[in-house]
C-alpha cells in the first residue's frame, strides 16, 4: 500500500469520504487522492514525498505559486501579533482599498471567510434591497453550497452525477430559477415570465465550473439590460476569476463594459487563506448590518492572518505576474491540444483569459452545461492518471479549469509537455 492509500483508508474511517471537500476524493477519476504534505512554487509533494507539477493551484488561489516567501512572511509576522481579535483592523481597510482600486465598482467591501458565504450574502442582500425573493442562476455555474444556489450546480455536483443535493428544502430551491448559460432566448423568456419577482441574477461572468465556458459576445450585456429593466440586481461571481484572469478579474477583461451591482470575490483575494469578499455599490452595501437591516456576521471574518496574505498577494500580483500566467496558460493549452490532435483524440479546448479546460471526445463548441455534458469523461480519467503517474497533478475532474501560476516557467512546463504524448495515447485508447 502506498502512503496515499494508507492515508486515504485512515481518513475515510474518520472523515466522510476521507476529504473536507468532495471533489478532492478522486470520485470522478478513481484511485487514492494524493495527500499533500507541502507545496512550493509550481509543485506539490505527497506523503511519499513525491513531487508533482501542480495544475490545481488550490483551485485558484495560488496565482503567485505556492508559499511565495513574501506572503508567508506577511502571515508569519501577522501571526506573532495574534491569531484573531474579533475587532476591526486597519489591515482590513487596506485590503478593502486594494480591492476597490482594482474594481472601482466595489465601492464598499465586506469580508467573509469563503466564496460560499460571499455568494449567500450577496443573495440575501439582493433580496433585502429589492423586497423580492426569486433568484436566477445558470445551469453549470457554481456559487458555493448555500441552499438557494445549489440547484443544477457544476463541478462537484455534476461530477457526482446529482441534480442538486439532498437536504435542500423544496421551498428554497423553488425560489431559484435555473437557465441555460449563453442562451439569450431562454433569458428573455424567464424575464418576460417572472422579471417582476426577481431579486437578482447571479452569474459567473466567464463560467469555469462546468469546464471553461466563456460568455458569448453580448451575453453579459444582455444580462445587464434585462436586470436593469426589471429592477433586479446583477451579481458577478468573480470568486474564481477575480484577480486571476486580470488585475481586475473578468470585469477588467471586459473593460468595464458591464456594470454589475454586486461582486463576489474569493480565492486569490485571500492569497490561499480562508478569506472572501462581497463588494458593490455603496447604497446597496450599506444595507448590510450594522448600517442597514440585512444581517451578516462572522467570528473569523477579516481574520488578520488571512488579511495579511490577501494584502501581500494583491501587492505582488502586478502586470508581470498576469503576463507570466497568461503566457503559461497559452503555452500549455497549445501543447495539450497539439498532443491530443497528434494522438487522434477529438477534443475542444476552451479559454477564458488564463483559465482553460479541455472537453473530451467532442470537438464542437461548448456553450452551456448541456453541451459540456456531451463530453466523454472516461478519456479524461485515462489522461489524468497517466499524467499523475508522470508527476503532473491535474484537477481530478474533467469539469474543472486547469490552473497555472506565475511560477510555471518554461522548465516546469517542459515537464508537463514531456508527459503529454503518453497521456494522450491513453485517452485515445479509451475512445477507440
Ligand atoms: C465561481 C465560484 N463561486 C463560489 C465558489 C465557492 O467558494 P468557496 O469554495 O470558497 O466556498 C467557488 C468555488 O469554487 C467558485 O468557483
Amino acid at each position: 500500500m502506498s502512503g496515499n492509500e494508507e492515508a486515504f483508508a485512515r481518513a475515510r474511517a474518520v472523515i466522510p469520504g476521507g476529504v473536507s471537500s468532495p471533489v478532492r476524493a478522486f470520485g470522478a477519476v478513481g484511485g487514492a487522492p494524493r495527500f499533500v504534505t507541502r507545496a512550493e512554487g509550481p509543485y506539490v509533494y505527497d506523503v511519499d514525498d513525491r513531487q508533482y507539477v501542480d495544475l490545481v493551484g488550490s483551485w485558484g488561489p495560488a496565482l503567485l505559486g505556492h508559499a511565495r516567501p513574501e506572503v508567508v512572511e506577511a502571515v508569519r509576522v501577522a501571526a506573532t501579533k495574534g491569531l484573531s481579535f474579533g475587532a476591526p483592523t486597519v489591515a482590513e481597510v487596506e485590503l478593502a482599498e486594494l480591492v476597490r482600486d482594482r474594481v472601482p465598482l466595489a465601492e464598499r467591501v465586506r469580508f467573509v471567510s469563503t466564496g460560499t458565504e460571499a455568494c449567500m450574502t450577496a443573495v440575501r442582500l439582493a433580496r433585502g434591497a429589492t423586497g423580492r425573493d426569486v433568484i436566477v442562476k445558470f445551469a453549470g455555474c457554481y456559487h458555493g453550497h448555500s441552499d438557494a444556489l445549489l440547484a443544477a450546480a457544476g463541478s462537484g455536483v455534476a461530477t457526482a452525477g446529482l441534480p442538486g443535493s439532498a437536504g435542500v428544502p423544496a421551498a428554497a430551491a423553488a425560489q431559484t430559477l435555473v437557465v441555460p448559460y449563453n442562451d439569450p432566448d431562454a433569458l428573455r423568456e424567464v424575464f418576460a415570465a417572472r422579471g417582476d419577482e426577481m431579486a437578482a441574477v447571479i452569474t459567473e461572468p466567464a463560467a469555469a465550473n462546468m469546464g471553461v465556458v466563456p460568455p458569448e459576445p453580448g451575453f453579459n450585456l444582455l444580462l445587464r439590460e434585462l436586470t436593469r429593466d426589471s429592477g433586479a440586481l446583477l451579481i458577478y461571481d468573480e470568486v474564481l476569476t477575480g484577480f486571476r484572469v486580470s488585475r481586475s478579474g473578468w470585469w477588467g477583461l471586459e473593460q468595464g463594459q458591464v456594470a454589475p451591482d454586486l461582486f463576489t470575490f474569493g480565492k486569490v483575494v485571500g492569497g490561499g487563506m480562508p478569506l472572501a469578499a462581497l463588494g458593490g455599490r455603496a447604497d446597496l452595501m450599506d444595507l448590510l448590518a450594522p448600517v442597514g437591516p440585512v444581517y451578516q456576521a462572522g467570528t473569523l471574518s477579516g481574520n488578520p492572518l488571512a488579511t495579511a496574505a490577501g494584502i501581500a498577494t494583491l501587492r505582488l500580483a502586478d502586470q508581470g505576474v498576469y503576463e507570466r500566467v497568461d503566457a503559461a496558460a497559452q503555452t500549455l493549452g497549445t501543447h495539450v491540444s497539439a498532443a491530443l490532435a497528434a494522438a487522434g483524440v477529438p477534443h475542444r479546448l476552451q479559454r477564458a483569459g488564463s483559465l482553460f479546460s479541455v472537453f473530451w471526445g467532442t470537438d464542437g463548441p461548448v456553450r452551456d452545461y448541456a453541451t459540456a455534458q456531451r463530453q466523454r469523461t472516461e478519456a479524461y480519467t485515462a489522461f489524468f492518471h497517466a499524467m499523475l503517474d508522470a508527476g503532473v497533478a491535474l484537477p481530478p475532474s474533467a469539469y474543472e479549469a486547469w490552473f497555472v501560476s506565475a511560477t510555471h516557467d518554461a522548465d516546469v512546463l517542459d515537464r508537463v509537455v514531456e508527459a503529454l504524448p503518453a497521456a494522450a495515447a491513453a485517452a485515445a485508447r479509451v475512445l477507440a
Side-chain angles (χ1 to χ4, degrees):
M1 229 198 241
S2 74
N4 292 296
E5 283 161 351
E6 245 172 68
F8 197 32
R10 183 177 159 198
R12 276 181 298 181
V14 68
I15 297 171
V19 292
S20 299
S21 191
V23 78
R24 297 178 196 170
F26 276 25
V29 292
R34 298 307 184 256
F35 279 67
V36 172
T37 52
R38 66 197 164 94
E40 193 177 359
Y43 301 114
V44 290
Y45 297 82
D46 71 9
V47 285
D48 295 323
D49 210 29
R50 199 161 167 227
Q51 183 196 61
Y52 301 83
V53 175
D54 182 28
L55 295 174
V56 182
S58 182
W59 305 92
L63 177 76
L64 304 174
H66 292 290
R68 171 86 178 231
E70 299 94 317
V71 178
V72 173
E73 178 60 11
V75 173
R76 193 195 64 76
V77 169
T80 64
K81 298 179 182 169
L83 301 182
S84 175
F85 312 130
T89 65
V90 175
E92 287 166 280
V93 182
E94 187 177 344
L95 183 55
E97 287 167 351
L98 286 170
V99 168
R100 193 185 54 189
D101 283 349
R102 288 169 175 244
V103 184
L105 294 183
E107 293 170 345
R108 302 263 195 281
V109 179
R110 168 64 57 88
F111 293 113
V112 293
S113 298
T114 67
T116 293
E117 258 186 290
C119 295
M120 180 186 80
T121 306
V123 165
R124 183 176 302 143
L125 180 53
R127 287 173 165 160
T130 59
R132 300 169 174 185
D133 289 342
V134 172
I135 299 295
V136 174
K137 80 173 284 290
F138 294 102
C141 285
Y142 180 64
H143 307 289
H145 62 91
S146 69
D147 283 357
L149 297 172
L150 207 53
S155 60
V157 173
T159 301
L162 300 171
S165 167
V168 172
Q175 300 296 337
T176 304
L177 306 178
V178 181
V179 178
Y181 199 69
N182 273 331
D183 187 338
D185 293 340
L187 201 59
R188 287 198 185 93
E189 217 171 284
V190 81
F191 269 91
R194 309 279 300 266
D196 57 356
E197 296 169 65
M198 276 176 206
V201 175
I202 184 164
T203 188
E204 286 183 68
N209 280 289
M210 50 176 145
V212 171
V213 180
E216 286 175 2
F219 184 68
N220 287 339
L221 273 171
L222 177 66
L223 265 182
R224 178 65 287 184
E225 214 177 283
L226 292 172
T227 45
R228 186 174 287 136
D229 291 351
S230 71
L233 302 184
L234 176 60
I235 304 167
Y236 258 31
D237 176 355
E238 295 232 38
V239 167
L240 203 156
T241 48
F243 317 115
R244 172 163 272 281
V245 296
S246 83
R247 75 182 292 281
S248 310
W250 189 260
W251 177 82
L253 283 189
E254 285 180 340
Q255 291 163 343
Q257 273 183 65
V258 179
D261 302 290
L262 296 171
F263 290 85
T264 53
F265 303 112
K267 300 185 189 265
V268 172
V269 74
M273 298 286 285
L275 183 138
L278 168 73
R281 268 170 41 204
D283 62 313
L284 290 172
M285 291 296 292
D286 283 344
L287 294 173
L288 287 173
V291 193
V294 179
Y295 195 68
Q296 181 278 331
T299 300
L300 296 177
S301 291
N303 171 269
L305 275 60
T307 307
I311 291 171
T313 298
L314 290 189
R315 279 205 193 126
L316 288 162
D318 58 13
Q319 210 42 44
V321 161
Y322 291 106
E323 281 165 17
R324 284 203 293 287
V325 172
D326 281 350
Q330 192 63 40
T331 303
L332 186 56
T334 303
H335 282 284
V336 169
S337 219
L340 293 178
V345 177
H347 68 281
R348 167 95 180 169
L349 186 138
Q350 295 198 167
R351 298 179 187 275
S354 58
L355 294 170
F356 70 93
S357 75
V358 178
F359 298 90
W360 300 81
T362 172
D363 46 19
V366 174
R367 60 193 298 259
D368 58 15
Y369 193 36
T371 41
Q373 285 178 302
R374 284 189 203 134
Q375 68 174 318
R376 295 187 51 196
T377 53
E378 65 274 25
Y380 184 65
T381 298
F383 181 86
F384 169 88
H385 279 292
M387 293 298 281
L388 195 64
D389 290 347
V392 179
L394 290 165
S397 160
Y399 288 95
E400 304 291 350
W402 301 24
F403 295 96
V404 292
S405 77
T407 56
H408 285 74
D409 61 18
D411 288 347
V412 175
L413 292 181
D414 277 351
R415 269 187 59 183
V416 181
V417 170
E418 274 166 32
L420 288 172
R429 280 195 295 279
V430 170
L431 294 177

